[in-house]
């Protein structure tokens, strides 16, 4: 692509912490006219509607992270990540190969770790920074069984939420004119207005997002008065403070910030929850024992049915053998009958001659 074409392109880069709704945002903006790449990551059990993630940028970020000895999924608390010169050329090639539309961009959570890198490489690019409540992100990470790291280090999920969102707020504070910072919940409730805000701030020409993309059943949320929010508030108050700061700086369609959620937070995990958790653990053990008992019964029944099947098969083979013998006797009887008929015919001829 010629340089003049790249210069007139509008570039929108979508960045967030993992499990923060950037896939949903990217799908909405794609339906509104944003070109987010040709080679997109395929859906799986983690995102059944798709990740809307450009595989080229995905592979690029993973390669850079691995070159620094960092977990390729981006599970890191390292403040600065150096990008070697050899990767800068690759990044320029990615830009050249993907800037094929008047308005294009990409979505990839690891982008959050490289905001300044892409900001310098694409000085005219704008950023859509997405954030989500820490208790909802942590809950989503725990539910993704393929994130094994959080099974052994559960607190790391909160620490990484803090790391990513600090990078987001720091970048926004420095380059607010190039960014729109928004809560996923606000985007979901105001998709059309959100797109209009992007057009107005960045002089782009996105259309209206398709109305059938957002499926509330697929976005699992946790109430702010839940035990999980209370747990984070008690042990990681800095996460709640950062979430409040994000809301204070984030885009709102009516420019008023609602901090009512702060009043719903419980100051500490209260006693009832601790004992309730104890009860639920015991209930889960009871349920597990019941399942094991049912499994054993099913296995016993299956074994009995297998034995019955073998008996039936043996009887079938015996009857088949008997049938074979009967058929053999029948054929023998037919042969004898034919012989008798022949003898009778000869007797008749002899009788006729006599």
């Amino acid at each position: 692509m010629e340089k003049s074409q790249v210069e007139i392109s509008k570039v929108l880069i979508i960045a967030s912490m993992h499990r923060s709704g950037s896939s949903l945002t990217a799908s909405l903006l794609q339906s509104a006219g944003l070109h987010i790449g040709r080679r997109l990551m395929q859906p799986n059990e983690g995102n059944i509607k798709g990740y809307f993630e450009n595989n080229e940028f995905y592979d690029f970020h993973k390669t850079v992270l691995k070159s620094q000895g960092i977990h390729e999924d981006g599970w890191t608390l390292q403040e600065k990540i150096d990008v070697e010169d050899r990767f800068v050329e690759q990044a320029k090639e990615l830009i050249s190969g993907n800037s094929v539309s008047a308005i294009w961009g990409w979505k990839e959570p690891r982008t959050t770790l490289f905001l300044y890198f892409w900001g310098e490489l694409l000085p005219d690019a704008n950023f859509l920074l997405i954030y989500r409540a820490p208790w909802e992100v942590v809950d989503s990470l725990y539910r993704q069984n393929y994130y094994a790291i959080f099974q052994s280090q559960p607190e790391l999920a909160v620490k990484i939420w803090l790391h990513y969102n600090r990078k987001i707020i720091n970048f926004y504070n420095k380059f607010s004119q190039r960014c729109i910072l928004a809560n996923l919940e606000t985007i979901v409730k105001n998709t059309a207005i959100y797109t209009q805000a992007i057009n107005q701030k960045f002089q782009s020409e996105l259309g209206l997002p398709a109305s059938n993309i957002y499926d509330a059943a697929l976005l699992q949320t946790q109430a702010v008065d839940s035990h999980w929010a209370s747990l984070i508030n008690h042990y990681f108050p800095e996460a709640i403070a950062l979430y409040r700061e994000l809301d204070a700086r984030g885009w709102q369609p009516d420019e008023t910030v609602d901090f009512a959620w702060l009043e719903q937070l419980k100051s500490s995990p209260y006693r009832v929850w601790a004992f309730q958790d104890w009860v639920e653990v015991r209930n889960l053990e009871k349920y597990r024992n019941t399942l094991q008992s049912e499994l054993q019964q099913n296995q016993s029944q299956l074994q009995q049915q297998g034995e019955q099947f073998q008996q039936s098969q043996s009887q079938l083979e015996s009857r088949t053998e008997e049938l074979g013998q009967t058929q053999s006797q029948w054929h023998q009887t037919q042969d004898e009958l034919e012989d008798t008929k022949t003898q009778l015919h000869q007797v008749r001829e002899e009788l006729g001659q006599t």
Side-chain angles (χ1 to χ4, degrees):
M1 177 170 289
E2 296 179 2
K3 185 176 179 181
S4 59
Q5 289 179 290
V6 175
E7 287 176 346
I8 63 173
S9 296
K10 296 287 184 181
V11 186
L12 296 178
I13 301 173
I14 304 169
S16 75
M17 164 64 185
H18 298 258
R19 313 304 299 176
S20 294
S22 57
S23 297
L24 173 58
T25 304
S27 66
L28 290 167
L29 295 178
Q30 183 193 50
S31 72
L34 176 64
H35 178 76
I36 58 174
R38 297 190 183 95
R39 293 178 55 245
L40 301 181
M41 187 179 296
Q42 294 299 309
N44 61 22
E45 61 182 17
N47 262 352
I48 62 174
K49 282 199 169 186
Y51 288 84
F52 297 86
E53 201 158 297
N54 189 317
N55 275 318
E56 294 178 341
F57 288 93
Y58 168 82
D59 292 336
F60 174 80
H61 290 144
K62 288 181 65 173
T63 302
V64 174
L65 290 171
K66 288 175 68 176
S67 74
Q68 300 293 315
I70 300 172
H71 197 296
E72 63 181 21
D73 284 336
W75 310 135
T76 180
L77 302 177
Q78 185 170 315
E79 189 59 38
K80 189 174 185 302
I81 300 175
D82 296 321
V83 181
E84 300 173 10
D85 291 341
R86 59 192 174 106
F87 294 122
V88 175
E89 292 305 314
Q90 289 184 26
K92 291 178 180 179
E93 291 176 5
L94 279 182
I95 293 169
S96 178
N98 282 275
S99 53
V100 296
S101 176
I103 179 167
W104 69 280
W106 72 87
K107 167 262 170 179
E108 211 283 298
R110 297 164 190 78
T111 303
T112 307
L113 302 173
F114 300 95
L115 287 172
Y116 286 95
F117 170 76
W118 291 113
E120 292 177 6
L121 203 60
L122 286 164
D124 295 325
N126 296 305
F127 294 80
L128 304 177
L129 306 175
I130 316 298
Y131 65 95
R132 188 182 182 189
W135 51 89
E136 292 188 349
V137 172
V138 171
D139 183 64
S140 183
L141 288 171
Y142 288 168
R143 283 188 282 105
Q144 306 303 312
N145 294 328
Y146 46 86
Y147 292 152
I149 191 171
F150 300 119
Q151 304 301 316
S152 58
Q153 304 178 59
E155 289 188 11
L156 185 61
V158 187
K159 293 176 181 178
I160 290 179
W161 183 93
L162 278 162
H163 182 65
Y164 271 67
N165 285 285
R166 280 171 179 154
K167 286 190 170 297
I168 284 174
I169 194 68
N170 290 339
F171 188 82
Y172 177 81
N173 287 339
K174 191 170 183 178
F175 302 104
S176 60
Q177 73 282 2
R178 297 176 61 184
C179 304
I180 291 183
L181 174 69
N183 192 321
L184 174 63
E185 183 180 356
T186 306
I187 294 172
V188 167
K189 291 178 179 178
N190 306 276
T191 54
I193 303 175
Y194 177 63
T195 309
Q196 292 171 8
I198 294 172
N199 287 337
Q200 182 176 357
K201 183 165 186 175
F202 304 135
Q203 289 79 52
S204 56
E205 296 182 357
L206 292 171
L208 291 175
S211 59
N212 61 344
I213 290 180
Y214 171 59
D215 185 351
L218 297 179
L219 186 64
Q220 298 191 35
T221 59
Q222 294 288 331
V224 68
D225 60 354
S226 69
H227 303 322
W228 316 127
S230 172
L231 192 66
I232 290 178
N233 186 39
H234 182 74
Y235 290 103
F236 291 93
E238 63 272 29
I240 300 301
L242 178 56
Y243 184 52
R244 186 184 186 283
E245 183 181 359
L246 289 164
D247 263 356
R249 304 302 305 273
W251 169 80
Q252 295 290 339
D254 55 4
E255 298 183 357
T256 58
V257 186
D258 182 8
F259 288 119
W261 59 270
L262 279 168
E263 300 174 3
Q264 300 177 51
L265 276 173
K266 297 177 177 63
S267 59
S268 65
Y270 50 93
R271 212 171 4 182
V272 173
W273 173 41
F275 284 93
Q276 184 65 43
D277 188 57
W278 191 350
V279 169
E280 289 178 358
V281 168
R282 291 295 171 257
N283 286 336
L284 286 173
E285 289 177 351
K286 183 179 178 181
Y287 180 62
R288 181 194 62 189
N289 293 336
T290 301
L291 288 178
Q292 287 178 340
S293 177
E294 291 177 354
L295 178 61
Q296 290 175 353
Q297 291 177 0
N298 290 335
Q299 287 176 336
S300 178
Q301 291 176 358
L302 183 62
Q303 186 176 359
Q304 291 176 0
Q305 290 173 355
E307 291 174 355
Q308 291 174 357
F309 174 75
Q310 288 179 349
Q311 290 176 358
S312 299
Q313 194 172 28
S314 178
Q315 291 174 358
L316 179 61
E317 290 174 354
S318 177
R319 290 177 181 175
T320 302
E321 186 178 349
E322 291 175 358
L323 178 61
Q325 292 175 356
T326 302
Q327 285 180 330
S328 178
Q329 291 174 357
W330 182 75
H331 287 307
Q332 186 177 356
T333 302
Q334 275 193 321
D335 291 340
E336 291 175 356
L337 180 60
E338 290 295 328
D339 290 341
T340 302
K341 285 181 179 181
T342 301
Q343 292 174 7
L344 179 60
H345 183 69
Q346 290 175 353
V347 170
R348 283 179 178 175
E349 286 182 349
E350 291 174 358
L351 183 61
Q353 290 174 359
T354 303

